[in-house]
Amino acid sequence: MSLLSQNIAHFTNGMACMFFILVTIQLYKYKNRSHLMSFFFWEMLFFAFIELKNVIYLIDGIWENEYISNISLIIDMCTVPVTMMFMFELISPGWVTLPKTIGVMLPSVFFLFFYILFPYKILFSISLIYTCLLGTITLFIIFSASSKYDNYVKKNFSFNENMSISWIRYIITPLYIALFVWTTVIWNASWIGDAIYYLFIIIIWVFIYHYSLKHVILEVPSLLNPFAKKEEQPFSTNNQEQYENFPFAQKLDLYMENDCLYLNPKLTITDLATVIGTNRTYLSEYLNRQLNTTFYEYINAYRIKKACCLLISDEIRNLEDIAESCGFNSLSTFRRSFYKETGKTPMEYKKKHSYLLIH
């Protein structure tokens, strides 16, 4: 049984190694597309090296050699700061620079260097604790910053296809779990635990690769300080004061109702602000604080309203045509937005109101 579990672990390690090699090859043609893709390419190359070095465990006696095994494990720990930097670059394009990368990697490199010279177990334990602590801090920052990123998208764009990074919050949690699974495996020295870890990692990085390739990079303000909060000033909800504080408000309503600006699928808050004669910041403040909504939600509310009319009155057109006619870029976005706004799917809404009209 021990030999079988050992062979399974070596096999899954080989799978992980080949996976990262293939991803690296695939990313080579994208690495000049953006700073993010360039960093992703080098990260996957590094991960391929990390898995390739584990070939040494095929040599008899290496697994039992604590000194060599611990050096290999400390090298593995370097994947945590590298992954952290990739996610930071995803959330805040251009934030990651060579000096910052070196600075983040230095502690892990120092732990490796000192353990090679002074192979004390306490040094290895401190390195492991540091890595887990870094993973915990990264989890906290990613949840905070990615939420701010998505709010920025909603405040500035009427569409979010491949722009939202909500997926990163679903990815970082399994990665965090994988870190502690890996830590448990280290203390228990389990071949089966190794195999489970490798399979887990492959699945997670398949999703990261998929979403990263589709991601549309935006110029966003720095969002990596989880404690930074913008001070907000209250605004009156009185209609008369609303028009005094925001003289463009009435014009905005007229343009949206009469000119149907929301039908432009690529409409941005800057475009709308230009049309009504104000600036993006002032319009954003009006929507966020006065109407308690985001630009994305404000525009999509108009689109859903039009879609509801078409669903009831138009018996022939399919959902794809209706979605396109209302300014949506994709059917999936239309379905999600419609359900969020009405609590029903488009077909449920259509059936219900068709029944009411008949009866």
Side-chain angles (χ1 to χ4, degrees):
M1 182 63 184
S2 177
L3 181 60
L4 176 62
S5 60
Q6 182 177 345
N7 289 335
I8 292 174
H10 288 320
F11 177 74
T12 52
N13 177 220
M15 286 176 58
C17 183
M18 287 307 301
F19 168 76
F20 288 119
I21 289 174
L22 290 173
V23 170
T24 302
I25 294 171
Q26 283 294 108
L27 286 173
Y28 182 78
K29 59 186 175 184
Y30 298 112
K31 72 183 185 73
N32 293 324
R33 190 169 77 179
S34 66
H35 190 210
L36 177 68
M37 286 295 103
S38 177
F39 190 93
F40 197 15
F41 167 77
W42 291 109
E43 180 185 18
M44 291 295 96
L45 185 61
F46 177 66
F47 273 47
F49 161 75
I50 290 289
E51 301 305 334
L52 189 60
K53 73 168 175 49
N54 290 337
V55 171
I56 63 171
Y57 290 122
L58 294 174
I59 303 173
D60 290 338
I62 293 296
W63 178 259
E64 291 79 18
N65 188 311
E66 185 178 37
Y67 176 67
I68 296 178
S69 292
N70 285 350
I71 289 175
S72 176
L73 290 171
I74 294 176
I75 294 174
D76 289 342
M77 294 177 199
C78 294
T79 61
V80 173
V82 170
T83 301
M84 180 185 78
M85 295 301 280
F86 168 74
M87 292 188 172
F88 283 4
E89 178 62 24
L90 180 71
I91 291 174
S92 192
W95 185 88
V96 174
T97 61
L98 183 58
K100 287 178 180 176
T101 303
I102 293 174
V104 169
M105 294 297 298
L106 270 180
S108 299
V109 174
F110 280 148
F111 281 126
L112 175 62
F113 176 75
F114 284 118
Y115 185 83
I116 291 173
L117 296 178
F118 312 103
Y120 301 120
K121 194 166 185 179
I122 185 64
L123 192 57
F124 174 79
S125 299
I126 293 173
S127 176
L128 187 58
I129 292 171
Y130 165 78
T131 302
C132 291
L133 180 62
L134 184 63
T136 303
I137 294 172
T138 301
L139 179 74
F140 173 67
I141 294 176
I142 292 300
F143 263 93
S144 173
S146 62
S147 296
K148 291 178 183 177
Y149 186 102
D150 282 341
N151 286 335
Y152 177 85
V153 171
K154 288 183 177 180
K155 288 179 180 179
N156 291 276
F157 299 90
S158 65
F159 53 98
N160 65 358
E161 286 82 5
N162 302 325
M163 295 167 67
S164 169
I165 55 170
S166 58
W167 59 271
I168 201 174
R169 294 192 288 278
Y170 300 106
I171 292 295
I172 189 67
T173 303
L175 273 176
Y176 186 68
I177 293 171
L179 174 62
F180 280 89
V181 168
W182 180 75
T183 305
T184 303
V185 169
I186 289 175
W187 292 122
N188 293 287
S190 166
W191 287 112
I192 289 298
D194 265 4
I196 293 172
Y197 169 76
Y198 288 132
L199 291 174
F200 197 36
I201 283 297
I202 291 171
I203 293 171
I204 292 173
W205 281 100
V206 164
F207 281 99
I208 294 177
Y209 174 75
H210 169 74
Y211 285 111
S212 296
L213 280 187
K214 297 197 305 178
H215 179 64
V216 175
I217 297 173
L218 302 174
E219 292 294 330
V220 298
S222 181
L223 304 170
L224 294 176
N225 183 357
F227 304 105
K229 289 185 179 180
K230 184 179 178 181
E231 184 178 351
E232 295 187 1
Q233 300 296 328
F235 285 91
S236 170
T237 55
N238 179 277
N239 284 339
Q240 182 61 38
E241 291 186 26
Q242 167 184 318
Y243 292 131
E244 291 175 0
N245 291 330
F246 302 97
F248 58 80
Q250 195 166 12
K251 185 188 293 186
L252 173 64
D253 294 337
L254 290 174
Y255 270 102
M256 292 300 294
E257 293 288 349
N258 299 333
D259 292 5
C260 301
L261 299 177
Y262 56 87
L263 295 182
N264 176 5
K266 294 293 185 180
L267 184 68
T268 68
I269 194 169
T270 302
D271 298 331
L272 184 56
T274 300
V275 171
I276 63 175
T278 186
N279 61 62
R280 180 189 64 80
T281 302
Y282 206 36
L283 176 56
S284 181
E285 286 183 348
Y286 169 68
L287 295 174
N288 300 158
R289 303 179 191 178
Q290 189 73 40
L291 301 187
N292 195 29
T293 188
T294 64
F295 177 70
Y296 178 82
E297 293 164 346
Y298 176 76
I299 297 299
N300 279 349
Y302 276 98
R303 291 170 176 169
I304 296 300
K305 182 179 178 181
K306 180 174 179 62
C308 288
C309 295
L310 292 178
L311 283 167
I312 297 172
S313 63
D314 199 324
E315 296 290 338
I316 301 175
R317 298 171 74 179
N318 56 37
L319 289 182
E320 288 86 349
D321 289 340
I322 291 177
E324 186 177 347
S325 298
C326 296
F328 287 98
N329 280 315
S330 70
L331 180 59
S332 59
T333 302
F334 169 59
R335 291 181 187 276
R336 286 196 303 270
S337 299
F338 193 94
Y339 187 83
K340 183 178 180 180
E341 188 76 17
T342 66
K344 297 179 178 60
T345 67
M347 293 313 298
E348 288 173 345
Y349 183 91
K350 183 180 180 70
K351 288 178 182 178
K352 176 183 177 180
H353 285 81
S354 296
Y355 175 83
L356 291 175
L357 286 174
I358 294 172
H359 295 80

